[in-house]
Amino acid sequence: MNTIIGLLIIAIGSFGQSSSYVPINKVKDWSWECFWLIQGIFAWLAFPLLGASLGIPAGSNLFELWSAGGAGMAIFYGVLWGVGGLTFGLSMRYLGVALGQSISLGTCAAFGTLFPALFAGTDLLHGAGLILLIGVCITLAGIAIIGYAGSLRSKNMTEEEKRAAVKDFALTKGLLVAFLAGVMSACFALGLDAGTPIKIAGILGGVDTLYAGLPVIFLVTFGGFLTNAAYCIQQNIKNNTGGQYFSVNKGTLINNILFCALAGVLWYSQFFGLEMGKSFLIESPLLLAFSWSILMSLNVTFSNVWGIILKEWKGVSNQTITVLVVGLLVLISSIIVVAIAQA
């Protein structure tokens, strides 16, 4: 029962993340760098800080908790993850919500699951390690199939249809950016792993396991914010877009801030849900190790649902849709295979 609850909580957080890019279409008169910076303030600073406050032991504070060890490395991995987060946003720009998230998150799922296991000395050729590797391989197979569906979609659509679905559609550039985003985004998982001493200190201080990992998430997202903020400000200067933040009228400014805040809280919900869900998977160590891949696989699934709703796949052939559905089913099967092996 705990396993089902844990997976359900992760799924709810995943749905939130996959929905976080929908508010982009509601932001008006701001360049990409303006939107990305403001939503980042909410996604990587404000809401993670609120979440972190839930993981503070009674009579302590965040700085005392972070001194338990691993804070510096968590921030460092966060800076690297920030590169992934930055290029992740660009992958949406060039490929759309469905295909961009599919490639980025699929790559992120594989590396984010295997990197911590390898660093921990897990034998990936025997026992539980082998099951973990098989699950990741199935995930990658699903992503490859979805990527193929994307290539079919590109062939079947006219240039006008591509621009109508995704304004800046560019398949080759988008795929390269999405792959880089996935590899670098996997550093988030390493950041969470580096902050394990902080999580343990919180539990020993009486914090519920549901919230013990939240102070670590803030450290990683803070590192990511530094990377993204530096790039966005540089783009503001380069493109002379810095004045856009306040040049819009009051109504538009309020509208943009509200939708940025909505995007931020939806994005953060994935990691809030991941940490809460993992607390129910403690008795299932294999699923616990695979939880990162589960989150990313669900993100891909839900993002493609949004892609269909937003008509990004409109006009493609039945063959393309069939290939897409097969890829999504393969992704989901990776979770089922690991769950059965754990049982």
Side-chain angles (χ1 to χ4, degrees):
M1 187 62 182
N2 280 348
T3 298
I4 295 176
I5 293 174
L7 293 176
L8 181 60
I9 292 174
I10 293 175
I12 293 173
S14 170
F15 180 76
Q17 188 280 339
S18 300
S19 306
S20 66
Y21 292 91
V22 177
I24 291 177
N25 297 324
K26 299 296 184 179
V27 175
K28 304 175 182 178
D29 302 326
W30 274 0
S31 62
W32 179 87
E33 56 266 25
C34 291
F35 161 78
W36 196 246
L37 178 60
I38 301 304
Q39 71 85 31
I41 291 175
F42 289 105
W44 307 320
L45 291 182
F47 290 115
L49 183 59
L50 288 174
S53 66
L54 298 175
I56 304 175
S60 184
N61 57 61
L62 280 174
F63 291 103
E64 290 181 6
L65 188 60
W66 288 332
S67 67
M73 287 304 298
I75 294 175
F76 172 73
Y77 282 125
V79 170
L80 297 181
W81 162 77
V83 176
L86 180 61
T87 48
F88 186 72
L90 291 175
S91 72
M92 305 300 109
R93 180 178 179 180
Y94 296 132
L95 297 176
V97 173
L99 186 57
Q101 287 209 54
S102 296
I103 303 302
S104 299
L105 296 177
T107 308
C108 181
F111 286 98
T113 300
L114 294 180
F115 280 168
L118 289 172
F119 287 3
T122 302
D123 182 359
L124 297 178
L125 300 179
H126 299 88
L130 179 60
I131 299 299
L132 194 65
L133 180 60
I134 291 174
V136 169
C137 288
I138 296 175
T139 299
L140 288 176
I143 295 304
I145 295 172
I146 292 173
Y148 178 59
S151 68
L152 290 177
R153 167 197 177 200
S154 180
K155 293 178 181 178
N156 294 338
M157 297 174 71
T158 65
E159 288 301 317
E160 290 74 19
E161 288 173 330
K162 293 176 185 177
R163 294 294 181 268
V166 183
K167 182 180 179 181
D168 298 317
F169 184 82
L171 182 63
T172 301
K173 181 191 293 186
L175 289 175
L176 291 175
V177 170
F179 182 77
L180 175 62
V183 173
M184 298 305 291
S185 293
C187 290
F188 199 106
L190 294 176
L192 295 180
D193 194 54
T196 299
I198 297 172
K199 185 174 181 177
I200 294 174
I203 295 174
L204 293 177
V207 174
D208 193 304
T209 54
L210 282 171
Y211 313 116
L214 298 181
V216 181
I217 289 178
F218 174 77
L219 294 174
V220 182
T221 58
F222 173 72
F225 175 77
L226 296 178
T227 304
N228 282 264
Y231 178 80
C232 288
I233 293 173
Q234 184 271 333
Q235 288 296 298
N236 281 150
I237 296 173
K238 177 183 176 181
N239 300 327
N240 196 31
T241 54
Q244 290 182 359
Y245 295 107
F246 300 105
S247 64
V248 296
N249 60 55
K250 183 178 180 181
T252 300
L253 179 62
I254 294 175
N255 171 86
N256 290 356
I257 291 177
L258 287 176
F259 279 108
C260 284
L262 176 59
V265 71
L266 288 172
W267 183 92
Y268 174 63
S269 67
Q270 65 178 315
F271 293 117
F272 189 87
L274 176 64
E275 285 303 308
M276 292 185 68
K278 285 167 64 176
S279 68
F280 288 92
L281 301 178
I282 296 176
E283 297 178 358
S284 305
L286 187 56
L287 276 176
L288 189 61
F290 197 62
S291 60
W292 179 266
S293 189
I294 291 172
L295 174 65
M296 296 300 117
S297 295
L298 291 173
N299 284 353
V300 171
T301 301
F302 289 130
S303 68
N304 276 281
V305 171
W306 272 116
I308 294 172
I309 293 174
L310 296 175
K311 300 181 179 180
E312 293 180 356
W313 294 91
K314 182 180 179 180
V316 301
S317 66
N318 291 334
Q319 178 191 7
T320 302
I321 293 298
T322 300
V323 173
L324 173 64
V325 172
V326 169
L328 294 175
L329 290 176
V330 171
L331 268 184
I332 298 300
S333 71
S334 68
I335 302 174
I336 297 174
V337 167
V338 176
I340 291 176
Q342 178 70 67

